[in-house]
Amino acid sequence: MSHIVIQGGRRLEGALAVQGAKNSVLPILAATILHPGRSVLLGCPHLSDVEASIRILRHLGCKAGWEGEALTVDASSLDRWDIPDHLMREMRSSVVFLGAILARMGWAELSHPGGCELGPRPIDLHLSALRQLGALMREESGCMRCSAQHMAGREIVLSMPSVGATENAILAACGAQGETILVNAAREPEITDLQNFLCGMGCQVRGAGSSTVCIQGRRPTHDSTYAVMPDRIVAATYLSAVAAAGGEVELHRVSHRHLSTVTAALHAAGCQISGGEGQVVLCSTGQLHSVGTIRTAPYPGFPTDAQAILMAALLRAKGATVFVENIFENRYRHVDELCRMGADISVADRVAVVTGVPALFGAKVRCTDLRGGAALMVAGLAAGGETLIDDIFHIQRGYEDPVRDLRALGAEIRLE
């Protein structure tokens, strides 16, 4: 089993280009099956979740793989509508294939998805939206069997702005007759990226990035080549790492606007931050102070995916910072591992209070989930001595090569 070893306490300096966004490319890969032709994705990160999506596409009958740095999908030979249990369990985002399969094939059969254990993440909103479009569903022995021979557009009001439900509804609505209006839709930038990809294939989707998305039922009409947006959570990770360890980093291929809540918190903690078109520069002495209260919320609020990462950056900050997790019930599983490194964190229900300590020390720790693993890397870079991180398969779900990237900034880090 591989692990990451970090010798902490070194300043980080340099420049990096940020990888393509995991949370964007996964629904886009699902969307490729809408078109019985060829899609080429540029800037797609090499991740275990991406490889899991490729395996699903191949199982469905598509030709999918890497051609140099481009990921290509040819869905002209798609001939199945089922996803077996072992493929569904590899990642939570596998459920987004449901809407696309129904739109293309009219049938779908799959089990409940896997992924990080962050507490209950029911797919009820996904299923409700698809039912409102006319899909019929029944569950037998943990397997969902769905038919959608006559889907028709209508107004769908989501009870909460779920990213996955928004994506599934958009994909399914592309195969429905007439117009679908999705109200209280998620506003994340990755939704806009999905819309842009679909429109590039000839679909008619508008309004992504706002709370109302309109989809005119229309199948894609032509092949496309599309560049995936940069990953804002990976960018937040590297900014937090430099904030904690001290130094200066210039990130390229980023959107300053997409990072605004994270950079605002780091600025409040004492970092100097500037940005231009497609870049962000952060300078830090490594001596931070608390920032009050951080509340996670749907975009444009503070992202839940950056909660553990910012927490790790503030472990040595002077004073106390309060984190309130409003998205997932069980997203403080990383806390016990951070405390093994000398952190002072108390948790009660959805609230975590981080009181800064004078120093952190290296320890043997394990990843509990994707972003918790990233938090351990951030803490390890700021700690004295050696940190050994186990169960790094979680990190590999969302970070293409963090060892390479952090080493480029001067970190003493290696993969064993």
Side-chain angles (χ1 to χ4, degrees):
M1 184 71 69
S2 298
H3 49 257
I4 290 174
V5 180
I6 301 172
Q7 296 290 339
R10 298 185 60 169
R11 285 175 56 84
L12 304 179
E13 295 184 355
L16 284 176
V18 176
Q19 69 182 56
K22 163 190 178 286
N23 290 337
S24 182
V25 73
L26 299 182
I28 286 176
L29 284 171
T32 62
I33 69 178
L34 294 176
H35 172 52
R38 180 179 169 89
S39 302
V40 179
L41 301 182
L42 306 177
C44 182
H46 292 258
L47 306 172
S48 59
D49 272 10
V50 170
E51 295 302 324
S53 293
I54 291 173
R55 288 191 287 274
I56 289 174
L57 289 167
R58 289 173 175 168
H59 172 83
L60 294 171
C62 302
K63 297 175 182 177
W66 299 93
E67 296 182 1
E69 288 304 306
L71 178 56
T72 65
V73 180
D74 186 339
S76 57
S77 58
L78 185 144
D79 59 359
R80 302 186 65 144
W81 55 79
D82 67 299
I83 304 178
D85 181 71
H86 72 277
L87 291 178
M88 286 296 296
R89 287 181 180 274
E90 290 189 33
M91 63 173 185
R92 185 74 189 184
S93 298
S94 56
V95 72
V96 80
F97 279 88
L98 176 57
I101 294 173
L102 287 175
R104 171 81 183 269
M105 304 294 288
W107 304 89
E109 185 175 311
L110 44 80
S111 61
H112 284 273
C116 291
E117 298 177 7
L118 302 177
R121 290 194 285 178
I123 61 172
D124 297 10
L125 288 178
H126 301 240
L127 304 184
S128 174
L130 299 179
R131 286 191 177 102
Q132 290 180 68
L133 289 171
L136 303 175
M137 304 181 186
R138 70 180 190 276
E139 185 170 350
E140 298 176 359
S141 302
C143 179
M144 291 182 291
R145 293 180 169 84
C146 316
S147 64
Q149 299 298 301
H150 305 288
M151 289 196 295
R154 58 165 296 170
E155 181 176 281
I156 299 173
V157 181
L158 297 178
S159 60
M160 64 173 292
S162 161
V163 173
T166 298
E167 293 166 343
N168 245 330
I170 289 173
L171 294 175
C174 287
Q177 294 293 318
E179 184 179 59
T180 297
I181 300 175
L182 191 59
V183 180
N184 198 28
R187 300 166 58 188
E188 272 73 2
E190 294 79 9
I191 304 292
T192 302
D193 214 31
L194 175 61
Q195 171 186 274
N196 293 341
F197 172 75
L198 290 169
C199 290
M201 291 197 299
C203 295
Q204 294 185 356
V205 184
R206 66 183 190 277
S210 73
S211 58
T212 302
V213 181
C214 300
I215 309 100
Q216 190 68 40
R218 179 180 177 181
R219 298 289 179 86
T221 56
H222 50 265
D223 295 353
S224 67
T225 298
Y226 187 77
V228 178
M229 66 174 279
D231 196 310
R232 58 196 173 101
I233 306 303
V234 170
T237 302
Y238 294 149
L239 292 176
S240 295
V242 177
E248 179 175 348
V249 66
E250 181 176 324
L251 296 185
H252 299 283
R253 198 174 175 266
V254 294
S255 168
H256 199 291
R257 179 170 59 87
H258 295 167
L259 288 166
S260 60
T261 54
V262 175
T263 54
L266 292 173
H267 181 265
C271 298
Q272 297 179 18
I273 299 174
S274 60
E277 185 63 32
Q279 70 172 19
V280 174
V281 179
L282 180 142
C283 300
S284 171
T285 63
Q287 303 299 311
L288 306 179
H289 49 80
S290 61
V291 298
T293 301
I294 301 292
R295 293 181 172 86
T296 64
Y299 190 86
F302 191 91
T304 180
D305 279 354
Q307 173 254 109
I309 297 162
L310 180 65
M311 180 182 291
L314 297 177
L315 294 178
R316 295 186 302 140
K318 184 178 180 180
T321 300
V322 178
F323 288 82
V324 181
E325 176 54 58
N326 293 310
I327 308 299
F328 294 123
E329 292 183 11
N330 193 21
R331 202 150 201 181
Y332 290 134
R333 299 176 68 228
H334 55 280
V335 166
D336 287 345
E337 299 303 303
L338 292 175
C339 288
R340 293 169 66 91
M341 302 176 69
D344 183 353
I345 310 171
S346 58
V347 176
D349 194 24
R350 291 179 178 265
V351 178
V353 179
V354 179
T355 302
V357 295
L360 299 171
F361 47 84
K364 183 176 181 179
V365 292
R366 55 176 290 271
C367 301
T368 56
D369 56 79
L370 168 56
R371 306 307 175 185
L376 294 177
M377 290 194 299
V378 171
L381 292 165
E386 181 176 277
T387 296
L388 188 150
I389 306 174
D390 277 330
D391 293 348
I392 62 170
F393 62 88
H394 288 293
I395 295 174
Q396 292 165 339
R397 290 184 48 237
Y399 294 81
E400 184 174 76
D401 195 342
V403 171
R404 174 200 64 199
D405 291 345
L406 291 169
R407 187 179 290 163
L409 296 180
E412 190 172 339
I413 180 172
R414 66 185 185 273
L415 180 67
E416 292 187 345

